[in-house]
Amino acid sequence: MTSPWYKSVSSVFGLRPRIKGLLFFILGFVALLTILSPLTSTSYEASSTGSTRVPNIYSNYRRIKEQAAVDYLDLRSLSLGTSLKEFLLCGKERESYVPCYNVTGNLLAGLQEGDELDRHCEFEREKERCVVRPPRDYKIPLRWPLGRDIIWSGNVKITKDQFLSSGTVTTRLMLLEENQITFHSEDGLIFDGVKDYARQIAEMIGLGSDTEFAQAGVRTVLDIGCGFGSFGAHLVSLKLMPICIAKYEATGSQVQLALERGLPAMIGNFFSKQLPYPSLSFDMVHCAQCGITWDIKADAMLLLEVDRVLKPGGYFVLTSPTNKAQGNLPDTKKTSISTRVNELSKKICWSLTAQQDESFLWQKTADSNCYSSRSQDSIPLCKDGDNVPYYHPLVPCISGTTSKRWIPIQNRSAVAGTTSAELEIHGKYLFHCVKPEEFSEDTQVWRSALKNYWSLLTPLIFSDHPKRPGDEDPLPPFNMIRNVMDMNARFGNLNSALLEQGKSAWVMNVVPVNARNTLPIILDRGFAGVLHDWCEPFPTYPRTYDMLHANELLTHLSSERCSLMDLFLEMDRILRPEGWVVISDKLGVIEMARAMATRVRWEARVIDLQDGSDQRLLVCQKPFLKK
């Protein structure tokens, strides 16, 4: 659309091409200064420590009135004789593309002995910029909770041959019917059923039922090699927060299947690098035939990584056939993996609490004095520094023993991470004071903001968006929203607001590595979260999130080495067709973001917050590009 103001300018400056071009250049330069001037006076550190600025009221769905920014884009394109072109669509080979996991490239780079299977963005070759298309048979997922138990087989990369060759456990777990995969929540997983298995773990802890996990301090579970998510789905039904991690798999991916079911998951490999979580992050770590040989590394470093992310008093559950010989010892001396883990556990202050059938339960000490009473040949303690654990090499020492966050899970409050005393602890850990009033204000802001966001998630905000046949003013959200990513989560209060308002969604709370590290607060609240560098691709498969939210992330990244265009292509890669993007930022940044959204073929609308600030909201919807 061309504004009247632009038409009048065109009529006045239509005399001589050379003069017209010069005037276009001058007008474009002035407009650019006007748009970008707010960015020069704002630093991310200031915004991250102050209160979050988000809208209180959205009065209606209307086009943005600041036509100067729109006219600038038109003038710039016309003066250069070019237009903002849409990116081409990628070929079929990129349909399931996951950057940073190029095994062939890693081998060529000299990586070996399993390290080639890990995440290596440094060897990623620059590829042609293009928009990833969905597979030919892709369909919009079913609404939760039906989508938890039934998914479209065309949405995941798994062949019928792979399914049939996956063994009796998987066959009992899944049923392949024409174009659907049905998961039987009560079947499979080693024992009589998932409920029986969870009840067994509860009994090993000393509980009467799996409904009492929270009473024992267990709220967050790191599920290593989660299969196809049946154990995680059951934990979700108990209102716990499981996070599935599994290695990258080109086909038949556990992570892809779990996310397609609406369960929290991400690619993560237990081999050579630390996971992107701080020390003392999870109440339980679970491994049921997860395929990891725990003593394959010297100095028990894989088990030390479990210990690093496990909270004091937390539990490690290992379910593995007791007669399966594993390890680095000669064949004549091989022992079961559980026996070997038990030998190593004594060196890191773990105790074998219980054993039933093929399941073993160890508990990490709740007393940090245990480490000083060990023998001299025990594994040493780490000199914990301030480094953010973002894919650092594994370390042969015990982490977290001197942390201010050393609080046994049994002693945590029902609203862990948010009491005044705990906020004070987090403030010391972050080297910034986290005041209760700051946290409370941020909570109230996001409670209000979420109501407004939710009302915008309908195609009706796009005036030229056609309704589907037979639709009558659809209520928001127009399609299923289950998997949500908050790309700059701060304290996780968007997640909190979703829970309070009863939305059937979970949130992957992402804390940028160069922002203030608030991830410990998020994890201590019982939410899913991870550290991530947005200059790199996110460790997930294409089309795995229904909604992406970014509050002031683009302003933060403007000072980084990142390419914002690459960021938008990455957002498009991980967003499902008909998924939503909500970006809150300053006017100049929002207008640049709208131009980028156009290039990745999103429908976009800028919303004026009408609060007297230069903050704007960009609401986008990704189209379903059918072949």
Side-chain angles (χ1 to χ4, degrees), residues 192-489:
D192 294 336
V194 174
K195 285 187 177 181
D196 290 339
Y197 178 63
R199 188 182 302 113
Q200 182 187 59
I201 294 175
E203 291 173 354
M204 293 167 69
I205 293 176
L207 305 174
S209 169
D210 56 359
T211 59
E212 300 176 2
F213 274 130
Q215 298 177 22
V218 177
R219 296 184 303 160
T220 57
V221 179
L222 184 65
D223 193 6
I224 306 171
C226 55
F228 299 135
S230 287
F231 182 61
H234 180 63
L235 294 181
V236 167
S237 72
L238 298 175
K239 300 188 183 305
L240 304 182
M241 175 50 69
I243 301 179
C244 161
I245 63 166
K247 64 181 181 180
Y248 167 73
E249 298 164 291
T251 59
S253 165
Q254 304 170 69
V255 169
Q256 188 182 38
L257 282 163
L259 285 164
E260 191 66 24
R261 299 183 65 187
L263 303 172
M266 61 177 286
I267 301 173
N269 198 11
F270 257 88
F271 190 79
S272 63
K273 297 181 179 181
Q274 292 180 339
L275 298 172
Y277 309 112
S279 299
L280 316 180
S281 291
F282 296 96
D283 305 319
M284 178 183 286
V285 177
H286 173 257
C287 164
Q289 298 186 13
C290 59
I292 295 178
T293 306
W294 291 102
D295 63 335
I296 196 172
K297 289 277 188 179
D299 302 315
M301 285 198 291
L302 296 184
L303 208 60
L304 287 174
E305 178 63 2
V306 173
D307 181 82
R308 185 184 72 82
V309 299
L310 195 59
K311 291 179 180 178
Y315 301 96
F316 176 54
V317 180
L318 174 65
T319 299
S320 177
T322 55
N323 60 353
K324 186 176 182 180
Q326 298 187 32
N328 295 325
L329 300 175
D331 292 343
T332 56
K333 297 182 180 180
K334 281 189 176 180
T335 57
S336 68
I337 187 63
S338 56
T339 302
R340 181 62 179 144
V341 170
N342 197 42
E343 293 173 357
L344 296 171
S345 69
K346 298 173 183 178
K347 300 180 180 181
I348 57 177
C349 285
W350 287 11
S351 59
L352 180 61
T353 302
Q355 174 187 355
Q356 287 190 27
D357 301 321
E358 298 176 340
S359 294
F360 298 80
L361 178 77
W362 287 270
Q363 185 173 21
K364 179 176 178 175
T365 183
D367 183 7
S368 59
N369 294 323
C370 171
Y371 301 103
S372 59
S373 62
R374 297 173 304 151
S375 60
Q376 293 184 350
D377 62 344
S378 296
I379 297 173
L381 303 183
C382 298
K383 295 180 179 180
D384 293 326
D386 306 330
N387 294 330
V388 176
Y390 186 68
Y391 299 110
H392 289 175
L394 294 174
V395 292
C397 54
I398 301 173
S399 303
T401 58
T402 60
S403 172
K404 299 288 186 181
R405 298 174 52 242
W406 184 279
I407 304 174
I409 63 172
Q410 295 82 2
N411 297 348
R412 289 188 175 273
S413 65
V415 287
T418 61
T419 65
S420 298
E422 288 175 324
L423 287 175
E424 182 179 355
I425 291 173
H426 285 298
K428 293 177 181 178
Y429 175 79
L430 299 170
F431 303 99
H432 292 283
C433 182
V434 181
K435 299 180 180 178
E437 53 269 26
E438 176 192 2
F439 185 88
S440 177
E441 179 185 355
D442 191 71
T443 301
Q444 294 298 328
V445 163
W446 286 108
R447 283 173 180 167
S448 174
L450 178 63
K451 295 178 182 178
N452 296 314
Y453 282 179
W454 214 252
S455 67
L456 294 173
L457 301 183
T458 167
L460 296 181
I461 73 166
F462 308 118
S463 59
D464 55 349
H465 193 296
K467 292 183 182 179
R468 293 179 176 177
D471 280 347
E472 296 292 339
D473 292 347
L475 295 175
F478 187 63
N479 56 346
M480 187 273 288
I481 294 182
R482 171 64 185 170
N483 302 352
V484 177
M485 178 183 287
D486 194 350
M487 301 173 68
N488 188 19

Side-chain angles (χ1 to χ4, degrees), residues 14-71:
L15 296 177
R16 293 185 179 180
R18 185 171 299 179
I19 296 176
K20 179 175 69 174
L22 177 61
L23 289 172
F24 277 149
F25 176 79
I26 295 173
L27 284 170
F29 180 74
V30 172
L32 178 63
L33 290 178
T34 303
I35 294 168
L36 298 183
S37 59
L39 296 178
T40 61
S41 61
T42 302
S43 67
Y44 180 74
E45 286 298 323
S47 64
S48 64
T49 56
S51 59
T52 305
R53 300 184 66 183
V54 295
N56 292 324
I57 298 174
Y58 303 111
S59 61
N60 52 30
Y61 307 140
R62 65 185 184 82
R63 298 180 183 274
I64 187 170
K65 289 184 176 180
E66 287 77 11
Q67 284 295 336
V70 180
D71 292 330

